[in-house]
């Protein structure tokens, strides 16, 4: 018998957390049910007071969702997790469950647009102030600490410019201040970065991206130590109801089985595409976490085991060149999603970051010529040909 404790991630992602019904199905079952019946009134009482462990209502727990949560915990090395309806439900619940009115959070400026809205606009409405810092400057995190700081929040690599924040260094500052560090690990994926091992307290994902990986369902997940999830997070989650549907959890579970294959291939292709773009005369700037010329290459080496499935680059011709390039692409589609099997190009300044003030945009490096490319599962030579032809048009 192999020891389950020694299973490598690829094995855990196929078998981890599997629960079988009395039919002993091979593929994980989809328990599309809201509630559960009890054999007696006594059993119902015991289920509700916790004496009899088991399912009560799918807003708090469901067998298919449970399998997804357990499999993610195994991958992440987390004590417990709760799956949510979307990535934003995960981020919002993780932050709201951690703070009270009168407290303070510190967040990196370079955040996914909606995450920035939660920090900058939603939390202050409830009396929680947020200080936004340049995440790559460790001294700014330190300077922002107040006696009532409870949470530090960052994503790394960042969307869309792929800059990298030193997670261990920010975790140290947070812990010294008596705060918890929450990391949005969407861009790195659990395969290339393990925030909990670097000192973070909570990890959040939009499962909509690489975990689904084929552009079908929305989802998210919050992972942390068992005590925080059960004591702090679960009551908030149970009573506010941002839960993932069993159907989506089932799709995500199947997505996890192929996650390593997809991420490895997409990262390998992204590395080749980054090298090609770096040498092209129409490209004025290229940022790829797998290259030695990445602005934080030393931190990438310290905290990531792989590059990224995304490439950020700037065309010298500005917005006009960026639009001509996007319009000339054939295989690569114009969209705002990422982590999909289909390659996707996005012009952040006019789409995902359109609502961000121009000054803040430029501060983050989101110029008119800047493009974010999510590399899919197509053959890399076909993608390179598509890019080469589109660059020739501008
Ligand atoms: C997409 C994304 C989110 C939000 O996830 P949804 O599933 O769209 O709600 C949050 N953070 C990052 C980094 C993302 O890429």
């Amino acid at each position: 018998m192999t020891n389950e404790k020694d299973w490598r991630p690829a094995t855990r992602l196929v078998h981890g957390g599997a629960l079988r019904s009395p039919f002993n199905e091979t593929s994980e079952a989809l328990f599309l049910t809201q509630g559960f019946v009890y054999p007696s009134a006594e059993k119902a009482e015991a289920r509700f007071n916790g004496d009899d462990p088991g399912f009560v209502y799918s807003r708090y727990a469901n067998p298919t969702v449970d399998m997804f949560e357990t499999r993610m915990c195994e991958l992440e090395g987390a004590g417990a997790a709760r799956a949510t309806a979307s990535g934003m439900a995960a981020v919002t619940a993780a932050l709201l469950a951690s703070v009270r009115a009168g407290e303070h959070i510190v967040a990196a400026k370079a955040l996914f647009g909606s995450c920035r809205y939660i920090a900058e606009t939603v939390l202050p409405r409830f009396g929680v102030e947020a200080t936004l810092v340049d995440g790559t400057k460790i001294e700014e995190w330190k300077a922002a600490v107040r006696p009532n700081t409870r949470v530090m929040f960052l994503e790394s690599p960042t969307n869309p410019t792929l800059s990298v924040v030193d997670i261990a260094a920010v975790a140290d500052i947070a812990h010294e201040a008596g705060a918890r560090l929450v990391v949005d690990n969407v861009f790195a994926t659990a395969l290339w970065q393990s925030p909990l091992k670097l000192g973070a307290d909570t990890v959040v994902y939009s499962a909509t991206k690489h975990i689904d990986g084929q552009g079908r369902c929305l989802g998210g997940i919050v992972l942390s130590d068992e005590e925080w999830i059960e004591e702090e997070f679960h009551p908030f989650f149970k009573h506010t109801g941002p839960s993932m549907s069993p159907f989506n959890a089932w799709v995500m579970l199947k997505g996890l089985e192929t996650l390593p294959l997809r991420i490895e291939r997409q990262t390998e292709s992204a590395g080749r595409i980054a090298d090609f773009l770096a040498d092209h005369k129409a490209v004025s700037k290229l940022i790829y976490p797998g290259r030695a010329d990445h602005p934080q290459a030393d931190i990438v080496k310290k905290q990531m085991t792989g590059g990224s499935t995304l490439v950020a680059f700037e065309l010298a011709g500005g917005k006009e060149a960026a639009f001509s390039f996007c319009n000339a692409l054939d295989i690569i589609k114009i969209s705002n999603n990422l982590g999909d099997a289909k390659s996707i190009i996005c012009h952040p300044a006019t789409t995902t970051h359109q609502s961000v003030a121009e000054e803040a945009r430029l501060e983050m490096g989101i110029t008119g010529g800047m493009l974010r490319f999510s590399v899919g599962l197509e053959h890399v030579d076909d993608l390179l040909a598509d890019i080469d032809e589109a660059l020739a048009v501008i």
Side-chain angles (χ1 to χ4, degrees), residues 60-61 65 69 80-84 90 220-223 229-230 233-234 237:
Y60 346 142
V65 179
E69 291 167 344
R82 291 294 180 274
T84 56
I221 190 162
V222 178
L223 303 112
I229 291 283
E230 300 299 342
F233 189 73
H234 186 73
F237 174 83

Side-chain angles (χ1 to χ4, degrees), residues 86-89 91 112 115 155 159 184 186-187 206 208-209 218-219 338:
S86 68
M88 282 322 302
V91 170
F112 183 76
C115 295
E155 65 182 60
N159 176 40
D184 179 337
V186 165
F187 272 53
S206 163
T208 313
K209 313 294 166 55
L218 292 173
L338 61 99

Side-chain angles (χ1 to χ4, degrees), residues 286-353:
L286 174 118
I287 311 167
Y288 183 68
R291 278 173 60 93
D293 60 4
H294 185 278
Q296 293 91 29
D298 52 328
I299 302 169
V300 172
K301 215 179 198 171
K302 198 173 75 162
Q303 71 186 24
M304 296 181 72
T305 52
S308 174
T309 65
L310 290 117
V311 179
F313 61 103
E314 187 182 67
L315 293 179
K319 179 182 167 186
E320 201 184 328
F323 273 32
S324 314
F325 171 74
C326 291
N327 293 337
L329 289 168
D330 175 30
I331 301 168
I332 302 161
K333 304 302 177 203
I334 302 170
S335 185
N336 44 283
N337 205 4
L338 61 99
D340 199 307
K342 294 181 171 63
S343 284
I344 287 170
I345 195 84
C346 167
H347 184 251
T350 54
T351 60
T352 53
H353 289 68

Side-chain angles (χ1 to χ4, degrees), residues 7-318:
W7 286 357
R8 290 164 182 84
T11 308
R12 292 180 181 282
L13 287 169
V14 175
H15 294 285
L19 299 170
R20 287 202 165 80
S21 83
F23 299 112
N24 278 313
E25 60 282 348
T26 315
S27 173
E28 294 75 5
L30 168 51
F31 291 95
L32 205 52
T33 181
Q34 298 166 340
F36 303 85
V37 295
Y38 315 103
S40 66
E42 288 77 11
K43 266 279 190 217
E45 183 183 29
R47 194 66 65 83
F48 269 77
N49 69 22
D51 286 347
D52 178 39
F55 296 97
V56 173
Y57 190 51
S58 286
R59 170 153 40 80
Y60 346 142
N62 166 282
T64 309
V65 179
D66 188 289
M67 287 190 259
F68 171 61
E69 291 167 344
T70 306
R71 198 168 283 184
M72 280 299 297
C73 281
E74 289 193 12
L75 175 64
E76 202 69 45
R82 291 294 180 274
T84 56
S86 68
M88 282 322 302
V91 170
T92 308
L95 294 179
L96 280 176
S98 306
V99 290
R100 311 282 180 272
E103 294 181 340
H104 171 246
I105 78 159
V106 185
K109 275 179 204 161
L111 286 180
F112 183 76
S114 297
C115 295
R116 194 164 158 153
Y117 182 83
I118 301 301
E120 240 180 349
T121 309
V122 176
L123 291 178
R125 281 185 200 160
F126 298 94
V128 177
E129 272 191 72
T131 305
L132 296 186
V133 299
D134 178 341
T136 61
K137 298 201 172 109
I138 289 305
E139 62 281 6
E140 289 198 18
W141 290 95
K142 232 179 238 164
V145 170
R146 297 183 193 168
N148 58 345
T149 303
R150 290 293 170 268
V151 173
M152 293 197 172
F153 176 50
L154 63 88
E155 65 182 60
S156 182
T158 64
N159 176 40
T161 48
L162 308 182
S163 64
V164 167
V165 181
D166 188 333
I167 296 173
V170 179
D172 283 346
I173 296 167
H175 296 154
E176 215 165 285
R180 294 175 60 89
L181 175 62
V182 180
V183 174
D184 179 337
N185 204 37
V186 165
F187 272 53
T189 80
L191 239 64
W192 300 148
Q193 182 168 276
S194 303
L196 296 179
K197 294 190 184 90
L198 295 164
D201 301 284
T202 301
V203 181
V204 291
Y205 286 97
S206 163
T208 313
K209 313 294 166 55
H210 303 89
I211 293 173
D212 176 305
Q214 295 175 63
R216 298 161 295 193
C217 291
L218 292 173
I221 190 162
V222 178
L223 303 112
S224 189
D225 57 278
E226 194 175 352
E227 189 187 338
W228 185 79
I229 291 283
E230 300 299 342
E231 310 289 323
E232 292 291 321
F233 189 73
H234 186 73
F236 181 92
F237 174 83
K238 170 179 171 175
H239 296 296
T240 58
S243 347
M244 176 180 274
S245 92
F247 178 80
N248 288 12
W250 180 80
V251 172
M252 299 302 176
L253 256 177
K254 303 318 278 179
L256 285 180
E257 294 184 345
T258 58
L259 184 74
L261 288 176
R262 289 183 285 107
I263 300 302
E264 280 161 21
R265 172 62 63 85
Q266 285 169 252
T267 302
E268 191 185 308
S269 298
R272 278 195 55 194
I273 289 164
D275 291 344
F276 172 83
L277 288 169
D279 293 336
H280 201 285
K281 63 182 187 308
V283 176
S284 48
K285 189 167 162 188
L286 174 118
I287 311 167
Y288 183 68
R291 278 173 60 93
D293 60 4
H294 185 278
Q296 293 91 29
D298 52 328
I299 302 169
V300 172
K301 215 179 198 171
K302 198 173 75 162
Q303 71 186 24
M304 296 181 72
T305 52
S308 174
T309 65
L310 290 117
V311 179
F313 61 103
E314 187 182 67
L315 293 179

